[in-house]
Amino acid sequence: INGLFEEGSGEEGAKYTDLFLKAALLTIKEMPLSNAKWAGDHIRIIKRVDVNTTICDEDMGLAPVVRDAGAKGLRELVCSLRTLERREAEDSLNEDSFEPGTFSMYCTGEKLGLTSFAPALPNGQACALGVGLIHGLVVPDDKDPNFPYKTVMCVNVTLVCDDRILDAEEGVRWLSIFKKNIEVPTGLML
């Protein structure tokens, strides 16, 4: 996947959180109801996906918006995210950078050492995804009778939903599609 980024161009490759965001965007495309808002007495599906995603500094996690993220390919998405990170480091993010999006993904697990967490659902969004730290997990292994365990790398994600829009059954379906998108990453490159 990092072959998408030209060597020597100064572009950074994709981080695992970038791939998770792209997988979430593909999932939203398959389940448009996850990019909707409650409008008093009805659900309003929003076509354009604007994503608030965390950038952690020493003090706090900020969640600037990536506009029209659903229309971006992986390379363009990664470039947008690195631009936001640079602007945050330079303290040049403005008020417009923090406008509410239509979906949120919080990746504070790596910075804060959290293996899992449930994010607060921003007002006006159908769902928000919390991504924990990639960590080792000991699981049974029946391949070696002398050592019946192995360590696998895993990550916990938590989807928080406004149940007026996306109920528990639909949330489970969303996570199943997301898992498929992560486990078969070739679709992420589109």
Side-chain angles (χ1 to χ4, degrees):
I1 288 179
N2 279 330
L4 292 171
F5 302 89
E6 293 179 29
E7 208 171 301
S9 69
E11 293 179 323
E12 294 180 43
K15 299 176 183 178
Y16 82 93
T17 53
D18 303 333
L19 301 177
F20 278 40
L21 179 55
K22 184 62 181 174
L25 292 167
L26 292 173
T27 305
I28 290 168
K29 192 178 231 177
E30 288 185 55
M31 286 190 66
L33 200 55
S34 60
N35 194 56
K37 69 186 315 180
W38 181 250
D41 60 350
H42 65 282
I43 296 169
R44 185 174 145 240
I45 296 176
I46 303 163
K47 290 183 181 179
R48 184 172 126 162
V49 184
D50 296 330
V51 176
N52 293 99
T53 186
T54 50
I55 296 173
C56 284
D57 63 12
E58 292 116 28
D59 301 321
M60 59 186 248
L62 306 172
V65 66
V66 178
R67 294 280 175 217
D68 208 10
K72 298 178 190 293
L74 180 61
R75 184 177 181 170
E76 188 179 0
L77 182 64
V78 169
C79 289
S80 294
L81 293 167
R82 294 301 92 74
T83 298
L84 284 174
E85 288 172 358
R86 275 191 297 281
R87 287 180 57 209
E88 190 279 327
E90 297 163 356
D91 201 26
S92 65
L93 291 173
N94 57 26
E95 258 183 54
D96 295 342
S97 301
F98 297 101
E99 290 180 357
T102 58
F103 180 84
S104 291
M105 187 175 96
Y106 299 95
C107 301
T108 55
E110 183 176 21
K111 182 71 174 178
L112 302 176
L114 302 172
T115 55
S116 67
F117 65 98
L121 183 63
N123 191 26
Q125 293 184 5
C127 48
L129 185 68
V131 179
L133 174 70
I134 291 180
H135 60 283
L137 181 68
V138 177
V139 297
D141 183 9
D142 56 359
K143 291 182 181 174
D144 184 353
N146 296 321
F147 193 74
Y149 302 100
K150 65 180 177 180
T151 302
V152 297
M153 299 310 289
C154 67
V155 65
N156 297 333
V157 297
T158 305
L159 185 70
V160 177
C161 304
D162 180 340
D163 65 356
R164 296 172 298 181
I165 301 169
L166 217 64
D167 64 18
E169 185 178 332
E170 289 295 299
V172 168
R173 186 169 155 249
W174 194 98
L175 286 168
S176 296
I177 295 168
F178 176 78
K179 182 177 185 272
K180 175 196 64 141
N181 288 333
I182 287 293
E183 291 177 345
V184 184
T186 51
L188 302 179
M189 293 185 282
L190 303 174

